[in-house]
Each structure stands twice: as structure tokens, then as C-alpha cells.
């Protein structure tokens, strides 16, 4: 049975809006929450980037849904010891209903202190060391660590949940997926890629949960496609651009490369339930266990009504 959750976009909405969407999602029958962790939006039109840990604290008091960060980079912008403390506090606030989703990050968010942006193999080694350090800190007691990338001296987290915080690892290619299978308590992805899901399971992931997130633009008219094109066509940029471009302005300069036809083929827009179901079932067919859906258009009333009445029952 696939669990259907709601995807909170910290790049597009402010913290109060995100909390309001989470409350509405719970009422509509969504069962879990994903929330993105960004310092910058992908482009200026998206217009937001609230500090995710503050938003999670507010969410813990507003809803009873489990929450996963999708995903936090614990390697460059924020030291893994600080992420360990933040995740432990979030798990206490959420009474154990918190999962730390981690990934190797993008230059867009991680370059802000002027450090060189590491290559992909280095970023994965940094991620592996960071996850190991976070887990050690979550076990309690004093921790000292002198690793390849991180140094910790006499560090102890005092506010800890009763059970260790699960750590899910994201993957978008074979190398990162193999790392996720070996390192993670679960797997995060944003693609309906059955080959990657099967690779994760074959390389050690086994029956661990696989989460996936996607965006739709529900609308009663053509504005849904327009919003998808203007705000989120960056998701379709080729190659390593999403990992290496450093500024929202650079994404805006690159987004005209993506045609309206490509956006229409990759986002469910409009109000036709069959279009939305066809898009979402790609993820179910890929074998994910949890699917998170984000409404990127402005008609939240229409989205939540349609999904509660037609889409969620059909998916289940």
C-alpha cells in the first residue's frame, strides 16, 4: 500500500503559508509531509527560502503528520553536528514522527560562504562522513571526531528523542543510489525511475522505504501550465546544471532552454483527474512506498478539494 503525502515547497512559500498548507493537507487526507531545505529559491520568481528548522517546529504544533526533510545537505553550509542537534530537536517536537532526509546538495545553496564547490565523488564522501557523525551524536554521550572533512571536540547532544532519528539518503544517479542503499535507512528520489528503485533494493536497500516527490499544477484553466513553466521548469534542466549553477539568476538565464511542450509532458496541469492520475501512477509503477505531491499553482482550494474527492481515493 503506497502512502500519499504532501510536499511543502520552502522555495515558493513562506513559513506561515507552509503551515497552513500542511493543516489543509492533513484535513484532505494526505498522510505525511515532505519539506524542502533551501537557502535560496531556484529562481527569483519562486520568491522564498524560510529556515526549514523553524518551520518544522511550527509544523510539529500544527499537525500530527510525520515529516521528512527533502532534503537537507549536512556537509557544507551547515556542519553535520549542528544538523544532528536540529534533527534531534525536530524528532522530540514531532514525538518521533521525524525523518532526516539528506543529500549531497547543490551549489545554489551551499556556495554562500565562498568555499570551493566539491566534485560529485568528494561530495558523496563528505555525505557519508557526515551521516556517520550525526548517528554517533544521536547515540548520546560525548563525541570526538577527527575525520577527513569534519572535526568535533567534546560534543554532546542532550535533547534526544527516545529512538534514533531515521536518516534517508537521496539519489539521482547510480553512484549516489548505491551509497543510499548502503548508508540510508531509506531512499529519497524525485524521479519515477524503476531502475534506480530496483538498484537501491538490490545494492542493500532491500525493503527499506523509498520516498519520491513530484509537483503538479492543478488549475481550472491554462494558468497551471504557465505557473509550471515560469516557476519550476528549472527541474528539467539537463546534466549537472541543477547541482552546479550558483545563483537564482543563473537558473533564470537557463530556464528558457526548456520548452513549453517539455513542461507539459513532465507536469500534470489543469483539472482533469485522469491527467493527474496518469502522472502520479508513474511513481507507483516505479515501486515507491511513499509519494509526496506538491501543488505549485495558486488554486489551493481547488487542488485540495479535487485531491480529497477524486485523486487520493483513486490512487489508493
Amino acid at each position: 500500500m503506497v502512502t500519499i503525502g504532501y510536499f511543502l515547497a520552502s522555495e515558493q512559500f513562506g513559513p506561515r503559508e507552509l503551515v497552513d498548507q500542511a493543516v489543509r493537507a492533513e484535513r484532505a487526507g494526505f498522510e505525511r509531509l515532505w519539506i524542502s531545505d533551501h537557502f535560496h529559491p531556484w529562481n527569483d520568481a519562486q520568491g522564498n527560502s524560510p529556515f526549514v528548522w523553524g518551520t518544522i517546529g511550527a509544523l510539529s504544533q500544527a499537525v500530527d503528520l510525520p515529516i521528512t526533510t527533502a532534503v537537507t545537505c549536512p556537509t557544507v553550509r551547515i556542519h553535520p553536528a549542528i544538523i544532528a542537534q536540529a534533527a534531534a530537536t525536530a524528532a522530540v517536537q514531532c514525538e518521533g514522527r521525524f525523518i532526516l532526509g539528506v543529500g549531497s546538495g547543490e551549489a545554489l545553496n551551499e556556495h554562500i560562504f565562498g568555499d570551493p564547490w566539491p566534485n560529485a565523488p568528494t561530495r558523496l564522501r563528505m555525505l557519508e562522513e557526515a551521516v556517520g557523525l550525526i548517528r554517533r551524536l544521536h547515540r548520546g554521550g560525548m563525541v570526538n571526531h577527527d575525520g577527513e572533512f569534519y572535526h568535533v571536540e567534546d560534543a554532546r547532544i542532550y535533547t534526544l528523542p527516545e529512538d534514533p532519528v531515521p536518516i534517508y539518503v537521496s539519489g539521482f544517479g547510480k553512484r549516489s543510489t548505491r551509497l543510499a542503499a548502503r548508508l540510508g535507512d531509506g531512499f529519497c528520489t524525485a524521479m519515477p525511475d524503476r531502475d534506480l528503485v530496483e538498484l537501491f533494493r538490490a545494492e542493500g536497500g532491500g525493503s527499506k522505504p523509498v520516498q519520491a516527490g513530484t509537483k503538479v499544477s492543478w488549475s481550472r484553466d491554462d494558468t497551471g501550465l504557465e505557473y509550471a513553466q515560469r516557476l519550476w521548469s528549472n527541474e528539467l534542466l539537463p546534466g549537472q546544471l541543477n547541482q552546479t549553477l550558483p545563483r537564482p539568476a543563473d537558473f533564470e538565464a537557463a530556464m528558457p532552454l526548456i520548452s513549453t511542450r517539455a513542461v507539459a509532458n513532465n507536469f500534470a496541469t489543469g483539472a482533469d483527474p485522469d491527467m493527474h492520475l496518469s502522472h502520479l501512477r508513474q511513481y507507483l509503477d516505479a515501486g515507491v512506498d511513499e509519494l509526496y505531491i506538491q501543488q505549485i499553482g495558486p488554486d489551493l482550494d481547488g487542488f485540495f478539494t479535487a485531491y480529497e474527492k477524486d485523486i487520493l481515493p483513486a490512487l489508493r
Side-chain angles (χ1 to χ4, degrees):
M1 174 70 111
V2 175
T3 301
I4 309 298
Y6 188 74
F7 189 171
L8 297 166
S10 299
E11 308 91 332
Q12 189 178 345
F13 301 100
R16 290 182 176 273
E17 295 173 290
L18 294 171
V19 172
D20 176 68
Q21 289 179 30
V23 170
R24 298 176 71 174
E26 186 172 39
R27 290 173 181 167
F30 289 89
E31 300 163 272
R32 309 179 71 93
L33 296 172
W34 249 25
I35 184 166
S36 55
D37 178 4
H38 270 238
F39 189 87
H40 291 137
W42 294 101
N43 53 71
D44 285 342
Q46 290 176 354
N48 275 287
S49 59
F51 189 54
V52 72
W53 301 104
T55 306
I56 289 171
L59 290 169
S60 73
Q61 303 304 299
V63 298
D64 292 323
L65 301 179
I67 302 169
T68 302
T69 52
V71 291
T72 290
C73 178
T75 59
V76 179
R77 171 171 47 103
I78 305 181
H79 192 282
I82 305 304
I83 295 296
Q85 184 186 27
T89 298
V92 171
Q93 289 174 311
C94 297
E95 298 180 313
R97 299 183 304 274
F98 176 76
I99 293 168
L100 177 61
V102 298
S104 60
E106 307 92 13
L108 174 71
N109 300 301
E110 308 305 320
H111 82 284
I112 58 172
F113 298 124
D115 300 311
W117 181 234
N119 61 30
T122 301
R123 298 201 305 272
L124 292 179
R125 294 204 318 276
M126 294 173 73
L127 181 62
E128 183 166 8
E129 183 178 337
V131 169
L133 178 55
I134 291 168
R135 286 191 169 128
R136 285 182 62 194
L137 286 161
H138 282 176
R139 288 197 292 267
M142 201 68 71
V143 172
N144 288 277
H145 176 83
D146 189 15
E148 181 181 3
F149 301 105
Y150 306 107
H151 180 82
V152 167
E153 182 177 342
D154 297 336
R156 178 182 176 186
I157 296 175
Y158 281 81
T159 300
L160 289 167
E162 291 185 6
D163 298 313
V165 179
I167 301 177
Y168 291 13
V169 179
S170 70
F172 296 93
K174 292 182 179 180
R175 182 180 297 169
S176 59
T177 299
R178 289 190 176 99
L179 177 66
R182 178 166 53 84
L183 189 64
D185 299 309
F187 181 46
C188 302
T189 184
M191 300 178 290
D193 190 328
R194 188 172 188 85
D195 289 341
L196 281 186
V197 173
E198 291 180 348
L199 178 65
F200 170 78
R201 300 207 183 283
E203 293 289 327
S207 61
K208 296 175 184 177
V210 175
Q211 299 181 333
T214 189
K215 298 173 176 66
V216 303
S217 191
W218 192 97
S219 64
R220 295 181 174 87
D221 52 31
D222 293 336
T223 59
L225 179 58
E226 186 273 329
Y227 267 77
Q229 175 90 37
R230 180 167 60 88
L231 297 180
W232 287 99
S233 57
N234 59 276
E235 292 213 333
L236 305 179
L237 290 173
Q240 293 292 312
L241 291 179
N242 277 315
Q243 281 72 50
T244 57
L245 293 178
R247 303 175 302 167
D250 298 318
F251 282 90
E252 289 180 1
M255 284 165 63
L257 296 171
I258 308 303
S259 68
T260 302
R261 179 184 293 273
V263 174
N265 288 338
N266 285 276
F267 289 86
T269 63
D272 181 2
D274 289 337
M275 175 183 287
H276 286 256
L277 288 167
S278 177
H279 172 76
L280 299 172
R281 282 176 177 145
Q282 296 177 77
Y283 292 84
L284 276 58
D285 292 343
V288 307
D289 301 297
E290 303 170 17
L291 175 60
Y292 296 82
I293 304 161
Q294 175 196 326
Q295 161 68 348
I296 61 178
D299 190 351
L300 288 166
D301 290 339
F303 168 84
F304 283 118
T305 298
Y307 268 67
E308 180 178 12
K309 178 183 176 183
D310 298 320
I311 308 300
L312 295 182
L315 283 176
R316 295 182 179 125

